[in-house]
Amino acid sequence: LSKLQDRVPPVDTAAIKEVIKNDLKKPIEEIFDYFSEEALAAASLGQVHRATYKGQEVIVKVLRPGVEEMVELDLKILKFMMRMINTLVESHHLKVLINVIEEFSRIIRQEMDFLLEADNAVRFRENFQGNDEIIIPEVIHQVNTKRVLVLKHYQGTRIDELDQIKEKIDIDLTIHKLIRIYGQQVLLDGFFHADPHPVNILVDEAGRIILLDFGMVVTIDREVRKELVRTAIALAKRDYDRL
Protein backbone atom coordinates (compact mmCIF):
# COMPACT_ATOMS: atom_id res chain seq x y z
CA LEU A 1 0.00 0.00 0.00
CA SER A 2 2.87 2.40 0.69
CA LYS A 3 3.75 2.24 -3.01
CA LEU A 4 0.52 4.16 -3.72
CA GLN A 5 2.10 7.17 -1.97
CA ASP A 6 4.76 7.89 -4.61
CA ARG A 7 5.78 4.74 -6.51
CA VAL A 8 2.78 3.95 -8.72
CA PRO A 9 3.86 3.18 -12.32
CA PRO A 10 3.92 6.65 -13.94
CA VAL A 11 1.64 7.79 -16.74
CA ASP A 12 3.40 8.53 -20.02
CA THR A 13 4.80 12.07 -19.87
CA ALA A 14 3.12 12.96 -23.18
CA ALA A 15 -0.29 12.38 -21.54
CA ILE A 16 0.71 14.56 -18.57
CA LYS A 17 1.81 17.35 -20.92
CA GLU A 18 -1.51 17.09 -22.75
CA VAL A 19 -3.41 17.71 -19.49
CA ILE A 20 -1.29 20.81 -18.82
CA LYS A 21 -1.72 22.05 -22.40
CA ASN A 22 -5.52 21.57 -22.32
CA ASP A 23 -5.92 23.27 -18.94
CA LEU A 24 -3.60 26.23 -19.54
CA LYS A 25 -4.43 26.62 -23.26
CA LYS A 26 -0.74 26.81 -24.26
CA PRO A 27 1.96 24.38 -25.38
CA ILE A 28 4.07 23.34 -22.42
CA GLU A 29 7.17 24.98 -23.98
CA GLU A 30 5.45 28.37 -23.69
CA ILE A 31 4.63 27.82 -20.01
CA PHE A 32 7.81 26.36 -18.51
CA ASP A 33 11.47 27.13 -19.23
CA TYR A 34 12.20 23.46 -18.50
CA PHE A 35 9.98 20.42 -17.83
CA SER A 36 11.42 17.08 -16.75
CA GLU A 37 10.46 14.10 -18.91
CA GLU A 38 10.91 11.82 -15.90
CA ALA A 39 8.34 11.80 -13.09
CA LEU A 40 9.69 12.82 -9.69
CA ALA A 41 6.88 10.86 -8.01
CA ALA A 42 3.71 9.10 -9.12
CA ALA A 43 0.87 8.51 -6.67
CA SER A 44 -2.60 7.04 -6.99
CA LEU A 45 -4.20 10.38 -7.99
CA GLY A 46 -1.41 12.70 -9.09
CA GLN A 47 1.96 12.65 -10.82
CA VAL A 48 4.76 15.11 -10.04
CA HIS A 49 7.43 16.50 -12.39
CA ARG A 50 10.21 19.00 -11.75
CA ALA A 51 10.20 22.12 -13.87
CA THR A 52 11.46 25.70 -14.10
CA TYR A 53 8.96 28.55 -14.27
CA LYS A 54 10.24 32.08 -14.95
CA GLY A 55 13.66 31.07 -13.62
CA GLN A 56 12.26 29.48 -10.45
CA GLU A 57 12.59 25.79 -9.56
CA VAL A 58 9.10 24.32 -9.18
CA ILE A 59 7.27 21.03 -8.96
CA VAL A 60 4.23 20.43 -11.17
CA LYS A 61 1.55 18.12 -9.81
CA VAL A 62 -0.88 16.86 -12.45
CA LEU A 63 -4.03 14.81 -11.95
CA ARG A 64 -3.60 11.43 -13.65
CA PRO A 65 -5.57 11.39 -16.93
CA GLY A 66 -8.85 9.48 -16.57
CA VAL A 67 -8.60 9.14 -12.80
CA GLU A 68 -11.76 11.20 -12.13
CA GLU A 69 -13.91 8.88 -14.24
CA MET A 70 -12.26 5.81 -12.68
CA VAL A 71 -12.86 7.05 -9.12
CA GLU A 72 -16.51 7.91 -9.83
CA LEU A 73 -17.07 4.44 -11.30
CA ASP A 74 -15.41 2.75 -8.32
CA LEU A 75 -17.53 4.79 -5.89
CA LYS A 76 -20.74 3.86 -7.73
CA ILE A 77 -19.79 0.17 -7.61
CA LEU A 78 -18.93 0.37 -3.90
CA LYS A 79 -22.19 2.10 -3.00
CA PHE A 80 -24.24 -0.32 -5.13
CA MET A 81 -22.58 -3.32 -3.47
CA MET A 82 -23.16 -1.91 0.02
CA ARG A 83 -26.84 -1.22 -0.71
CA MET A 84 -27.30 -4.78 -2.00
CA ILE A 85 -25.56 -6.36 0.99
CA ASN A 86 -27.45 -4.10 3.38
CA THR A 87 -30.81 -5.35 2.04
CA LEU A 88 -29.74 -8.97 2.61
CA VAL A 89 -27.96 -8.64 5.96
CA GLU A 90 -29.01 -6.48 8.92
CA SER A 91 -25.81 -5.35 10.59
CA HIS A 92 -24.75 -2.27 12.50
CA HIS A 93 -21.20 -2.75 11.14
CA LEU A 94 -22.46 -2.53 7.56
CA LYS A 95 -24.24 0.75 8.30
CA VAL A 96 -21.01 2.15 9.75
CA LEU A 97 -19.15 1.02 6.63
CA ILE A 98 -21.65 2.88 4.43
CA ASN A 99 -20.87 6.07 6.39
CA VAL A 100 -17.14 5.45 5.88
CA ILE A 101 -17.67 5.12 2.11
CA GLU A 102 -19.71 8.35 2.06
CA GLU A 103 -16.94 10.20 3.92
CA PHE A 104 -14.28 8.70 1.64
CA SER A 105 -16.29 9.81 -1.41
CA ARG A 106 -16.38 13.40 -0.15
CA ILE A 107 -12.67 13.51 0.71
CA ILE A 108 -11.35 11.92 -2.49
CA ARG A 109 -13.37 14.36 -4.63
CA GLN A 110 -11.76 17.22 -2.68
CA GLU A 111 -8.31 15.67 -3.23
CA MET A 112 -8.89 15.72 -7.00
CA ASP A 113 -9.53 19.49 -6.96
CA PHE A 114 -6.11 21.16 -7.06
CA LEU A 115 -7.59 24.66 -6.81
CA LEU A 116 -8.93 23.66 -3.40
CA GLU A 117 -5.52 22.23 -2.49
CA ALA A 118 -3.90 25.53 -3.50
CA ASP A 119 -6.29 27.42 -1.20
CA ASN A 120 -5.42 25.03 1.64
CA ALA A 121 -1.69 25.60 1.07
CA VAL A 122 -2.19 29.38 1.22
CA ARG A 123 -4.07 29.04 4.50
CA PHE A 124 -1.31 26.87 5.99
CA ARG A 125 1.30 29.44 4.92
CA GLU A 126 -0.71 32.16 6.70
CA ASN A 127 -1.10 30.04 9.85
CA PHE A 128 2.66 29.38 10.06
CA GLN A 129 3.84 32.81 8.94
CA GLY A 130 6.98 33.77 10.89
CA ASN A 131 7.64 30.19 12.07
CA ASP A 132 11.16 29.25 10.95
CA GLU A 133 10.71 25.57 11.89
CA ILE A 134 8.43 24.82 8.94
CA ILE A 135 8.24 25.42 5.19
CA ILE A 136 4.92 25.46 3.36
CA PRO A 137 5.73 25.69 -0.37
CA GLU A 138 4.59 28.84 -2.15
CA VAL A 139 1.79 28.32 -4.70
CA ILE A 140 2.44 29.66 -8.22
CA HIS A 141 -1.13 30.84 -8.85
CA GLN A 142 -0.61 31.98 -12.46
CA VAL A 143 -0.35 28.36 -13.66
CA ASN A 144 -2.86 26.66 -11.37
CA THR A 145 -5.99 24.86 -12.52
CA LYS A 146 -8.29 22.21 -11.09
CA ARG A 147 -5.98 19.52 -12.51
CA VAL A 148 -2.57 21.27 -12.39
CA LEU A 149 -0.84 22.53 -9.24
CA VAL A 150 2.53 24.30 -9.36
CA LEU A 151 4.53 24.87 -6.19
CA LYS A 152 7.99 26.23 -5.40
CA HIS A 153 10.42 23.31 -5.11
CA TYR A 154 12.22 22.56 -1.84
CA GLN A 155 14.81 19.82 -1.40
CA GLY A 156 14.38 17.55 1.61
CA THR A 157 14.68 14.04 3.00
CA ARG A 158 11.64 11.89 3.77
CA ILE A 159 10.82 11.72 7.47
CA ASP A 160 11.28 7.92 7.44
CA GLU A 161 14.75 8.18 5.85
CA LEU A 162 16.40 10.57 8.30
CA ASP A 163 19.30 8.15 8.90
CA GLN A 164 20.72 9.60 5.67
CA ILE A 165 21.17 13.04 7.23
CA LYS A 166 21.34 12.29 10.99
CA GLU A 167 24.88 13.73 11.09
CA LYS A 168 23.45 17.08 9.98
CA ILE A 169 20.25 17.29 12.04
CA ASP A 170 19.12 16.52 15.58
CA ILE A 171 16.50 13.74 15.37
CA ASP A 172 15.02 14.45 18.84
CA LEU A 173 14.72 18.16 18.02
CA THR A 174 13.00 17.24 14.74
CA ILE A 175 10.44 15.13 16.64
CA HIS A 176 9.76 18.04 18.99
CA LYS A 177 9.28 20.37 16.01
CA LEU A 178 6.74 17.95 14.51
CA ILE A 179 4.84 17.81 17.82
CA ARG A 180 4.72 21.63 17.99
CA ILE A 181 3.68 21.94 14.33
CA TYR A 182 0.86 19.40 14.56
CA GLY A 183 -0.09 20.62 18.03
CA GLN A 184 -0.61 24.11 16.60
CA GLN A 185 -2.76 22.73 13.78
CA VAL A 186 -4.99 20.62 16.01
CA LEU A 187 -5.18 22.67 19.23
CA LEU A 188 -4.87 26.30 18.03
CA ASP A 189 -5.61 26.70 14.31
CA GLY A 190 -8.29 24.02 13.98
CA PHE A 191 -6.95 23.34 10.49
CA PHE A 192 -5.18 20.00 10.27
CA HIS A 193 -2.92 18.45 7.61
CA ALA A 194 -4.71 15.09 7.52
CA ASP A 195 -2.43 13.10 5.19
CA PRO A 196 0.85 12.92 7.16
CA HIS A 197 2.48 9.89 5.53
CA PRO A 198 6.29 9.92 5.04
CA VAL A 199 6.24 11.19 1.44
CA ASN A 200 4.41 14.35 2.58
CA ILE A 201 6.81 15.26 5.41
CA LEU A 202 10.37 16.15 4.48
CA VAL A 203 13.26 17.58 6.49
CA ASP A 204 15.82 19.90 4.91
CA GLU A 205 19.50 20.07 5.87
CA ALA A 206 18.78 23.01 8.20
CA GLY A 207 16.34 20.79 10.12
CA ARG A 208 13.22 22.58 8.90
CA ILE A 209 10.05 20.54 8.32
CA ILE A 210 8.69 20.74 4.75
CA LEU A 211 4.99 19.87 4.54
CA LEU A 212 3.57 18.73 1.21
CA ASP A 213 0.19 17.73 -0.24
CA PHE A 214 -2.70 19.77 1.15
CA GLY A 215 -5.51 17.94 -0.61
CA MET A 216 -6.77 16.30 2.56
CA VAL A 217 -7.40 18.63 5.51
CA VAL A 218 -9.69 18.50 8.52
CA THR A 219 -11.31 21.50 10.18
CA ILE A 220 -11.70 21.17 13.95
CA ASP A 221 -14.31 23.37 15.63
CA ARG A 222 -13.59 25.49 18.71
CA GLU A 223 -15.39 23.26 21.24
CA VAL A 224 -13.57 20.13 20.11
CA ARG A 225 -10.25 22.02 20.29
CA LYS A 226 -11.03 23.06 23.88
CA GLU A 227 -11.68 19.43 24.85
CA LEU A 228 -8.47 18.34 23.12
CA VAL A 229 -6.49 20.97 25.07
CA ARG A 230 -8.03 19.76 28.35
CA THR A 231 -7.16 16.19 27.38
CA ALA A 232 -3.56 17.12 26.55
CA ILE A 233 -3.16 18.96 29.88
CA ALA A 234 -4.58 15.97 31.80
CA LEU A 235 -2.17 13.67 29.98
CA ALA A 236 0.82 15.94 30.66
CA LYS A 237 -0.09 16.02 34.39
CA ARG A 238 -0.74 12.24 34.41
CA ASP A 239 -4.22 13.02 35.75
CA TYR A 240 -5.77 9.77 34.57
CA ASP A 241 -9.15 10.32 36.23
CA ARG A 242 -9.47 13.64 34.39
CA LEU A 243 -8.23 12.00 31.18
Side-chain angles (χ1 to χ4, degrees):
L1 284 175
S2 67
K3 291 181 179 178
L4 292 174
Q5 295 169 355
D6 69 339
R7 296 197 302 278
V8 175
V11 175
D12 185 70
T13 302
I16 293 296
K17 288 181 175 180
E18 193 64 24
V19 172
I20 298 171
K21 178 183 172 183
N22 290 339
D23 275 30
L24 293 170
K25 313 299 182 193
K26 286 182 184 178
I28 198 161
E29 297 78 17
E30 293 182 18
I31 303 167
F32 300 105
D33 309 324
Y34 161 79
F35 188 89
S36 173
E37 292 292 324
E38 186 178 344
L40 180 64
S44 50
L45 296 179
Q47 185 161 308
V48 175
H49 289 254
R50 291 185 69 168
T52 307
Y53 178 75
K54 294 185 176 179
Q56 184 172 219
E57 292 289 316
V58 297
I59 59 118
V60 184
K61 180 178 175 182
V62 181
L63 196 67
R64 293 172 78 95
V67 77
E68 293 159 296
E69 294 80 3
M70 190 185 300
V71 166
E72 289 301 330
L73 180 59
D74 285 348
L75 292 175
K76 284 179 183 176
I77 292 168
L78 266 175
K79 290 174 183 178
F80 174 75
M81 287 172 64
M82 292 310 303
R83 282 198 302 269
M84 293 296 291
I85 296 169
N86 206 41
T87 58
L88 299 172
V89 182
E90 271 294 320
S91 168
H92 168 69
H93 298 293
L94 280 174
K95 289 175 182 172
V96 170
L97 193 54
I98 289 170
N99 289 337
V100 169
I101 291 169
E102 288 296 334
E103 178 72 359
F104 172 72
S105 302
R106 182 183 66 80
I107 287 171
I108 199 165
R109 288 188 181 107
Q110 288 180 357
E111 280 200 273
M112 292 189 293
D113 184 347
F114 291 172
L115 288 174
L116 183 60
E117 181 174 346
D119 289 343
N120 292 338
V122 169
R123 183 168 171 184
F124 274 109
R125 277 179 64 83
E126 290 170 354
N127 289 347
F128 285 100
Q129 194 169 13
N131 186 333
D132 60 5
E133 293 184 339
I134 182 172
I135 294 172
I136 307 292
E138 180 185 346
V139 179
I140 313 299
H141 292 284
Q142 302 95 307
V143 278
N144 263 20
T145 72
K146 190 173 180 180
R147 298 190 298 170
V148 179
L149 177 64
V150 181
L151 301 168
K152 186 175 177 180
H153 176 66
Y154 289 91
Q155 193 70 39
T157 302
R158 283 171 48 152
I159 196 75
D160 61 343
E161 296 176 349
L162 290 185
D163 280 349
Q164 297 177 14
I165 58 169
K166 64 182 178 183
E167 298 82 12
K168 299 180 181 178
I169 67 160
D170 184 323
I171 301 291
D172 287 340
L173 182 59
T174 300
I175 292 168
H176 289 154
K177 286 177 183 177
L178 275 171
I179 291 169
R180 285 195 292 271
I181 286 165
Y182 277 90
Q184 175 180 326
Q185 292 174 44
V186 174
L187 302 177
L188 300 177
D189 300 334
F191 195 64
F192 173 60
H193 179 264
D195 198 11
H197 61 69
V199 177
N200 290 342
I201 306 174
L202 309 180
V203 182
D204 72 4
E205 292 193 350
R208 295 175 297 182
I209 307 296
I210 305 168
L211 274 193
L212 304 173
D213 197 342
F214 307 98
M216 191 188 302
V217 298
V218 172
T219 302
I220 305 168
D221 69 45
R222 189 177 181 84
E223 286 308 310
V224 173
R225 294 205 306 275
K226 281 183 181 177
E227 292 303 322
L228 287 170
V229 169
R230 292 189 186 108
T231 304
I233 291 170
L235 181 62
K237 290 182 175 180
R238 289 181 162 78
D239 184 348
Y240 300 117
D241 291 335
R242 178 81 173 168
L243 186 62

